[in-house]
Amino acid sequence: MAVPFVSTFQPSERARAAGAAVEVDISALKPGEKMTVEWRGKPVWIIRRTPEQVAALPKIDPQLADPKSERKPDELTPAYARNEARSIKPELLVVVGICSHLGCSPTDKFQTGAQPSLPDDWPGGFLCPCHGSTFDMAGRVYKNKPAPDNLEVPPHMYLSDTRLLIGEDKKA
């Protein structure tokens, strides 16, 4: 009689899934491509950056509000992602795709050069359509934009070269 009663204190399958880690196969992700997965009800972007995109990251530091991810580091950027690429592996970016201003989802603007709503020397990144905040290819916000912070890097770790676990970082 006590077993069914006590089992009601266990979290439901839905509750477990809401906070559970998500395993992702990234083997098909090619340079310059992005995939989106859901973790805790949020879109998480996984981007395989090209060597050119990685090489361009340090060049725009003076234009960024928080190039070294020093604001709210414990909330937004785990220790293993507090680097120029904001990632464990420079070619792979893992960020929550929600703007730090009012929660809109920025759009991909990976193409470089002049485009509507972007500067003529745009190096590639993300544009939030709600209020115009711009982020570089590491999810770092540009200066003088409505978004106060960089995009969040969720806890994650690599299980292998082709498998990523989002939501846990015990091995990191």
Side-chain angles (χ1 to χ4, degrees), residues 133-164:
S133 291
T134 48
F135 302 86
D136 76 342
M137 288 300 298
R140 301 176 298 177
V141 69
Y142 280 81
K143 289 179 181 174
N144 304 315
K145 298 294 178 173
D149 297 305
N150 296 336
L151 297 178
E152 175 187 356
V153 175
H156 64 282
M157 63 186 194
Y158 292 89
L159 303 174
S160 71
D161 286 340
T162 60
R163 307 290 300 169
L164 175 65

Side-chain angles (χ1 to χ4, degrees), residues 78 80-81 86-89 92-95 153-158 164-172:
Y80 50 82
R86 294 188 78 225
S87 60
I88 298 169
K89 297 181 179 188
L92 288 164
L93 175 66
V94 180
V95 292
V153 175
H156 64 282
M157 63 186 194
Y158 292 89
L164 175 65
L165 186 66
I166 299 169
E168 286 185 27
D169 57 4
K170 292 181 181 131
K171 293 181 185 175

Side-chain angles (χ1 to χ4, degrees), residues 109 111 113-122 126-127 134:
K109 296 293 182 180
Q111 180 182 333
Q115 299 167 58
S117 302
L118 294 169
D120 290 345
D121 61 347
W122 179 247
F126 309 94
L127 169 68
T134 48

